[in-house]
Amino acid sequence: MNPSGSTNNTTTAAEDDEETFAIGTEVTEFDRAVGILEELVLCEQFMEVQNAFFKEHRSSFDDSEENKLCYTEIHSKFAEMMEQHVASKLEANGVNIADFLKEVREQDPDTLCGDMWELLLSLTDFTAFKELMLSVPLPGSEQSESLDLSLGPSVTSVK
């Protein structure tokens, strides 16, 4: 109320800006899920799981044009393992995976660009998987002890 006893329904320009800013920065469930995924791909445990898998299966691959049946079997195991890892992380944080995947499909493809999306999409892409597997030094080589086997492009936090 103002001094005359009437209610003042006007807001200042600064108050209007604060309201607009608060509305414009509302975090959606999709944004929350993306944040969880970003944390996951930066997680050391996630990298360790991938590294262990690549070290275990690297000797099965050779750099030839022909793809052996075992390549697709190994890739299938990898994709399933990674999908379970991602799904369990999302579910543990209360994300409904079916709703999240539906929302991903509804997004403009241009909004799904960036290192995190490229990394997650490469987890199930056979060609990217084979290239990555071949980039891993064979066990026992000098390079195998010092190489960082983190998948795909570098992903860094912006926090």
Side-chain angles (χ1 to χ4, degrees), residues 20-100:
T20 302
F21 180 73
I23 292 169
T25 59
E26 181 179 324
V27 177
T28 66
E29 193 62 22
F30 181 77
D31 294 331
R32 191 174 77 77
V34 169
I36 292 166
L37 289 175
E38 288 173 339
E39 288 176 17
L40 174 65
V41 299
L42 293 171
C43 174
E44 191 172 322
Q45 180 186 10
F46 187 75
M47 296 292 185
E48 288 172 1
V49 168
Q50 295 172 62
N51 292 346
F53 187 91
F54 283 108
K55 285 180 180 178
E56 178 182 345
H57 296 284
R58 171 55 180 102
S59 60
S60 297
F61 286 76
D62 59 45
D63 195 7
S64 67
E65 293 286 323
E66 185 178 333
N67 291 323
K68 299 176 185 174
L69 180 59
C70 71
Y71 295 0
T72 56
E73 292 169 353
I74 293 169
H75 176 250
S76 293
K77 285 181 189 177
F78 179 73
E80 183 178 323
M81 180 182 70
M82 290 290 102
E83 288 169 6
Q84 287 175 353
H85 200 73
V86 168
S88 67
K89 180 71 171 181
L90 289 173
E91 288 171 350
N93 285 280
V95 175
N96 180 307
I97 298 195
D99 291 346
F100 176 70

Side-chain angles (χ1 to χ4, degrees), residues 47-48 50-52 54-55 58 131-139 141-151:
M47 296 292 185
E48 288 172 1
Q50 295 172 62
N51 292 346
F54 283 108
K55 285 180 180 178
R58 171 55 180 102
E131 288 173 7
L132 185 59
M133 185 63 81
L134 291 172
S135 73
V136 175
L138 286 165
S141 72
E142 291 179 20
Q143 295 175 327
S144 68
E145 299 305 315
S146 63
L147 184 67
D148 176 14
L149 301 177
S150 52
L151 266 183

